[in-house]
Amino acid sequence: MSIISDSSRDRVMIFIDLRNINNSSKTDSTYSRLDYIKMVKTFRESRILKRAYVFDGIDTIENSNPSNDFHNLLRYHGFTVDVIDSYDPITDRQKGVDVNLVCKVMRHAFNDDFDTAIIVSGDGDFVPLVEEIKQMGKKVEVAAFEGSCNRKMKLAADRFHCMDSLPLLEMESVPEEGIDSPIQSMATTEVF
Amino acid sequence: MLLKDCIVYAGDKLNTFDEFSGSGSDMTVLKFAINSSNNISSRYKGKMVYPDWNHVDVIQPGDIWICSMEMNPKDGGNYFAVPMMRIDASFLYGLNKSQLSELSLDIWNRNREILEPVMEEIFGSTVEEMIESAVSERTKDLEEENSKLKERLESAIESPRSDKIDDGSEKVTAVMSTPKTIVIKDDVVRIDDNTLESGLLVHPKYRVHMTANHDVIVFRPDINGRVTCMNNRVSLNGLGTLIPFTGECEFGYNTIGDKGEFKVFLV
């Protein structure tokens, strides 16, 4: 329990490192899928949500990117999806997504757009960012799965949301015989 | 059976119907016999039919074949038949279910007057017996169910309602003054690998969320939910994989608010 007081008038911004959270999710994606809307609602609580960012990278070398549909779905539900072409053909990895997230958090902090930043990532690279935001008089919360969250990150944050114990994985009925219907998308009609 | 049907069946069996029908020659079913000249022959459109010289199958007198017909190119006085497929018992046994169904329906329609009295004689009593046994079985089941429900209702009436609420082990929702009301337990029971049953599951659709550590499931009524509820039961895809089923068991629960949302504790 944090000694930092929260107010329902607090302005909250959520910054989700999509790849980090998806990779660290323990769930078997055949049966359930992380419900991002529910996640945002849970973290927001009764506070004012100013914006929910989703950061991801794409590979523009590939002709078809399966992430595009998911990004569009998130946009439809009100998320601000920030995607950069970050594919590095030499290392065969994505780079620059973290830096993009840091830039956005810092910019909004300087502009005094939020009272509380919620960073949904367990990546230890964000520890300096958390410290910096706190020094600017802002509150910082971190949300991640327990097993994949950097210990320093948990300690640095004003509050840590352990995603393992939150009901965020949406399930579906057993598909009818002969119909193969694993959860393919975040199907929801809710808006926040 | 129509000739067209025969050819279709043969085509299905051989997967060559397209080839047959695309050849431009006539297709027909012929029965062969020995003519006065001691040759195998048949008749088609009033003309003699002789087996094609190049055919490899041996045609016996009395055989029925699906044949491709070609008119004698010299004078058109007779036909040559290229045997495609012999219609015999093996042909009939090789038919698939839908083909057999169509075939039997066709036979029934054509010979209904003859077959109907025979079938009635054979199966009439059997059908009656089957109906009778099914009815008695169902009646027995319903009587058993009825007696169980009566027992549960009586026990619920006998014990004070406040006790039920206080002990928290078994909550019962029933209208106490109307004995006809069926008693439904609110406890959440896991029936098999993927199925949960509870008196709380009363809405047609639910949005269901589980924790990543598989400790808790939250059910929230939502018309756009991905989980369908029928007869107070839901089947959750993959539940058996995420949490292995070790036998029928009850789970604790908490209701949230007054809109039918509730939380089930799996551990």
Side-chain angles (χ1 to χ4, degrees), chain B residues 126-145:
Chain B
T126 315
V127 169
E128 279 171 14
E129 282 168 16
M130 284 170 71
I131 291 169
E132 202 174 317
S133 84
V135 167
S136 66
E137 200 174 317
R138 183 69 184 141
T139 310
K140 197 179 167 186
D141 288 348
L142 288 171
E143 278 172 0
E144 277 179 16
E145 198 176 331

Side-chain angles (χ1 to χ4, degrees), chain A residues 34-87:
Chain A
L34 200 55
D35 185 340
Y36 284 86
I37 290 176
K38 173 118 175 149
M39 184 170 83
V40 166
K41 281 177 153 185
T42 306
F43 297 153
R44 178 194 66 180
E45 296 167 341
S46 59
R47 298 173 289 187
I48 301 162
L49 180 66
K50 295 287 285 183
R51 195 165 288 278
Y53 276 101
V54 171
F55 295 91
D56 198 8
I58 55 164
D59 174 10
T60 51
I61 294 171
E62 289 180 11
N63 291 326
S64 61
N65 195 322
S67 299
N68 281 343
D69 290 341
F70 185 58
H71 292 158
N72 289 334
L73 192 65
L74 289 171
R75 286 189 184 101
Y76 174 78
H77 288 293
F79 288 85
T80 303
V81 181
D82 200 329
V83 179
I84 57 168
D85 174 15
S86 59
Y87 180 67

Side-chain angles (χ1 to χ4, degrees), chain A residues 153-184:
Chain A
M153 189 75 170
K154 279 196 275 187
L155 293 172
D158 294 314
R159 183 179 171 192
F160 175 65
H161 298 271
C162 178
M163 290 173 64
D164 298 69
S165 55
L166 297 171
L168 300 176
L169 306 177
E170 183 166 18
M171 303 189 79
E172 64 173 4
S173 285
V174 173
E176 287 177 30
E177 202 170 327
I179 299 171
D180 185 22
S181 64
I183 291 184
Q184 294 291 339

Side-chain angles (χ1 to χ4, degrees), chain B residues 212-264:
Chain B
N213 57 16
H214 308 148
D215 281 354
V216 173
I217 298 182
V218 178
F219 289 82
R220 187 159 58 85
D222 188 331
I223 199 67
N224 296 311
R226 303 172 70 93
V227 174
T228 308
C229 173
M230 285 180 75
N231 302 326
N232 305 108
R233 289 181 181 188
V234 291
S235 286
L236 300 175
N237 191 22
L239 184 64
T241 310
L242 299 172
I243 307 164
F245 180 65
T246 53
E248 195 170 303
C249 55
E250 289 183 8
F251 297 120
Y253 66 92
N254 270 349
T255 52
I256 306 166
D258 56 355
K259 292 181 180 171
E261 188 172 351
F262 62 99
K263 187 190 279 189
V264 179

Side-chain angles (χ1 to χ4, degrees), chain B residues 148-188:
Chain B
K148 278 182 189 173
L149 289 171
K150 272 182 183 173
E151 280 174 21
R152 286 169 63 181
L153 183 63
E154 280 166 12
S155 66
I157 291 168
E158 281 169 13
S159 56
R161 191 177 177 81
S162 57
D163 287 352
K164 283 284 168 192
I165 294 166
D166 286 345
D167 68 18
S169 62
E170 187 181 32
K171 292 185 181 175
V172 175
T173 54
V175 179
M176 310 306 271
S177 58
T178 55
K180 285 179 184 174
T181 305
I182 296 170
V183 180
I184 302 164
K185 285 170 76 174
D186 283 351
D187 292 331
V188 181

